[in-house]
Every structure is written in C-alpha cells, then in structure tokens.
Amino acid sequence: MRKTARSPRSTRTRTAAGAALAATALLLGLAAAPSAQAEADGKHRAATLDELAQRSGRYFGSAVDNPELADTEYADLLGREFGTTTPGNTMKWEATEPQRGVFDFTGGDEVIDFARANGMKVRGHTLLWHNQLPGWLTEGTWTKDELRSILKNHITHVVKHYRGKVFAWDVANEIMNEDGTYRENIFYKTIGPGYIADALRWARAADPKVKLYLNDYNVDGLGAKSDAYYALIKQLKADRVPIDGFGLQGHLALQYGLPAGIKENLQRFADLGVDVAFTELDIRMQLPADPAKLAEQADWYGKVTSACLEVKRCVGITVWGYSDRHSWIPGVFEGEGAALPFDENLQHKPAYDAIRAALIAGAKKG
Ligand code: XIL
C-alpha cells in the first residue's frame, strides 16, 4: 500500500471506499507492516517524486512560471509528479502591486487555480526582495515612515489575499551579502535592519497560520553567509519575532563544487526551532552537457536530497522548474544550463533516478 494519505492530492481524490479501506488497514496495523513496505518497494517505478517524499512526511515540488502553463505536456507532468508548486514570478512585488496601492493578483491566482485543480499546495514567493520591484517604488524617494507604511501595506494586502491558499511565504528574499553583512537594499537603506522583524510581524498579523521563511542562495553549506542567517534567526527567536523557516535556494553549479556541510547546516537551523527546506534547487553546468557531468549532477541531487531526509525538520524540496525545457539558467548564466532532473523532452535524466533512490533510502530509515 502506498502511504499517500497525507498528500493533498490523494486526500482530495480518494474515494470514500478507499478511505474506509485505508482506515481499516491502519487499524489492523497493515500500513506499517514490513511486508507491505517491501511490496511497495517493488512498485517504486510507479510512484512519483512527491509520493516518495511523502513516505517520510515531506513534499517534492517544482516552481512554475505562468507562461509554462500553456505548455500542456509540461503542465500535465508538473501536476502529476509534484506535490507543491511555487510561482516563479507572479507573486513578486512588480507583479502584485504594479502601481502604488493597486494590486493585481491575476498571475498568482492562476498558479493557485492550477495547483488546486491538481491537488498541489503552493509556496508563496516573495514579499520582499531587491529585484523585480516596481518602478514607482525604486524611483521614488521615501522617508523611513513612508517606506515602512508602503511595506506594511504591501505585505498585508498580499498575505491576506493568499491566506489559506499558500502554506508558506518567503517573507524576505536575499537580504544578506556573501560576507554576512546586510544587503543594502532600499528597505535596509531607508528603514534600517529592523525592516526584517517588521515584515515578519506584519505577515503574521495578516495570516496567523502560514509558515514564514527567510530565503537566500549560497547558504546551503556552512559559511559566512549562512552564519549570518543563523545569528539573525537566533536573535529573531530570542526577540519573539515570528519566524518559522529558513529556505535554502540551492542554486548550485558543478564548476564551484558541492558546498561543504549541507547536512550540518540544515541541522543547526533545525536546532534553533525552525523548519528548513530547499526552495529553488537546480544544479547547473557549463554546456555542453556530457555523461560525466550528468553523472556528477545526479550524485549532487542525490546528496542534497539525502541531506534533507537526514534532518527531521527539513520539510521538503522544490526544484526551480523541473525540466531543461523551461529554466531560468541559460538566460542568466551565459553558457550554462542542463540544471534540472528532466531534459528538454521531459525525459528522466540520471539526476531523476538519483533523487528517487535517495527518497526511497530516506523513507526506509524512517
Ligand atoms: C527568477 C525567475 O525564475 C526568472 O524567470 C526571473 O526572470 C528572475 O527571477 N532567486 C529567486 C528567484 O529567489 O525569484 C529567481 O527567479 C531566481 C533566483
């Protein structure tokens, strides 16, 4: 028997008879019986990445950029294989508040509707970032009080609109520099570092239940930047500021080496009392791809997945798009690409098999 009862998809599509059977099986202890698990192991081929992740109580998701939903072959597989999705662009500030005080939720709502139709949950991304801000905001000159009220208004409107529709928010994205100092974004420069606690409190006031995350890149392993987040989250906790999670984007590149101490890093944040998650995982390489690079990429995908599964509070993994057909990498990193576990034809790459193997091994350990 597949342990999919926690899946939003299976909960919604399960028949009453199926539910009764599952309940009986649970009562009889069949679900946990080793023979049933062994039988399930023989059927892994049919299970999706999300179903495999659910076996250890986690999710496996993929981001989506709205235009990709028109690629029906792509959208179908997204809906089948993944349990959660993250809008790649349409919940960002420039999309949601293109003019001051004028909100547009069209794009984000489209992703919510797609997710709902496919039994998926949604991660909200992102309330505050230095990129993809609307011109009216970046080109204006604001006093501290004005910008605080603009930020509060934005967060309040967006979080209220998506209350009950997203399970997590990246409240603040990429707020640290590589050396662990605060990034001098418009909010830092005008309001000072207190804008982070403010943003978290306003988000909590607008939705008491949603999980509130800080999110960044180059924080996957141990280092100055992840140290800075560790210190910040520790302080926020001490100050009783609402903070539920730390998101590791996981934009990795073969040519820079696998970051050291991923598991230890995840564990130290978990020990602070927050959830951790890989939120934007992709592993790029210099093109052209070849079998050796794809094998190394597979090894990394497996290691990252295993590291998450070894840490109780690592709640899930999201890839930033799932196939090389649609990926932000070639447009941003010249000469690089092939970063995802499915190829342009939506066929499994070695990375896909490595993720599956890691999910299966992790589920067995409990
Ligand atoms: C990227 C999108 O995927 C692109 O379509 C867009 O042009 C730029 O932003 N870190 C983040 C994401 O937190 O929001 C970024 O998404 C990728 C890097």
Side-chain angles (χ1 to χ4, degrees), residues 129-365:
W129 191 25
H130 61 280
N131 277 332
Q132 293 179 281
L133 291 170
W136 65 263
L137 177 56
T138 51
E139 284 150 27
T141 30
W142 313 105
T143 65
K144 177 175 178 175
D145 283 352
E146 279 167 345
L147 193 57
R148 275 191 93 232
S149 116
I150 286 170
L151 183 58
K152 180 178 183 184
N153 192 52
H154 180 75
I155 290 176
T156 305
H157 270 80
V158 177
V159 174
K160 277 195 173 160
H161 180 83
Y162 288 113
R163 187 162 51 190
K165 296 178 178 169
V166 300
F167 69 96
W169 267 114
D170 291 329
V171 175
N173 195 34
E174 303 182 356
I175 56 170
M176 294 286 181
N177 294 316
E178 296 305 297
D179 65 359
T181 56
Y182 285 109
R183 186 189 284 274
E184 301 214 347
N185 62 26
I186 183 174
F187 309 103
Y188 181 88
K189 282 192 281 191
T190 315
I191 304 173
Y195 81 91
I196 300 159
D198 286 343
L200 289 161
R201 289 195 176 103
W202 293 326
R204 172 58 74 240
D207 184 344
K209 290 196 184 143
V210 71
K211 300 281 184 198
L212 306 177
Y213 278 68
L214 302 180
N215 193 55
D216 212 326
Y217 62 92
N218 282 351
V219 292
D220 315 292
L222 298 166
K225 198 171 182 184
S226 57
D227 285 351
Y229 276 100
Y230 182 81
L232 172 60
I233 291 175
K234 195 172 181 186
Q235 189 61 49
L236 291 170
K237 281 271 179 193
D239 295 343
R240 304 212 171 280
V241 175
I243 172 75
D244 303 307
F246 183 44
L248 298 89
Q249 292 185 3
H251 292 299
L252 307 180
L254 293 186
Q255 67 271 24
Y256 302 133
L258 185 66
I262 295 180
K263 186 192 149 194
E264 292 73 16
N265 192 40
L266 291 171
Q267 189 63 56
R268 67 173 171 161
F269 283 96
D271 292 342
L272 284 180
V274 294
D275 290 342
V276 286
F278 283 96
T279 54
E280 305 185 12
L281 182 61
D282 50 22
I283 303 175
R284 62 189 190 267
M285 59 187 70
Q286 281 156 340
L287 298 173
D290 62 31
K293 288 182 201 168
L294 293 173
E296 191 181 11
Q297 179 189 49
D299 180 54
W300 286 28
Y301 265 108
K303 283 180 173 148
V304 169
T305 305
S306 299
C308 177
L309 267 71
E310 280 166 28
V311 174
K312 252 207 175 79
R313 291 198 74 151
C314 185
V315 296
I317 298 174
T318 302
V319 283
W320 203 243
Y322 70 86
S323 106
D324 298 334
R325 180 185 294 186
H326 300 296
S327 165
W328 72 302
I329 296 291
V332 174
F333 300 93
E334 215 189 313
E336 298 178 43
L340 295 161
F342 288 72
D343 69 15
E344 291 91 345
N345 299 315
L346 309 187
Q347 300 302 306
H348 300 163
K349 289 163 64 180
Y352 178 86
D353 296 322
I355 296 169
R356 293 183 68 91
L359 291 173
I360 290 165
K364 275 192 196 145
K365 281 189 218 150

Side-chain angles (χ1 to χ4, degrees), residues 10-63:
S10 57
T11 328
R12 281 198 196 100
T13 55
R14 221 164 39 159
T15 61
L21 266 178
T24 314
L26 270 177
L27 274 175
L28 297 172
L30 294 178
S35 60
Q37 185 59 51
E39 194 198 339
D41 287 352
K43 292 180 187 159
H44 284 319
R45 274 291 137 206
T48 66
L49 292 182
D50 187 59
E51 285 165 348
L52 292 177
Q54 280 179 46
R55 291 181 188 176
S56 65
R58 296 177 174 84
Y59 62 81
F60 208 99
S62 168

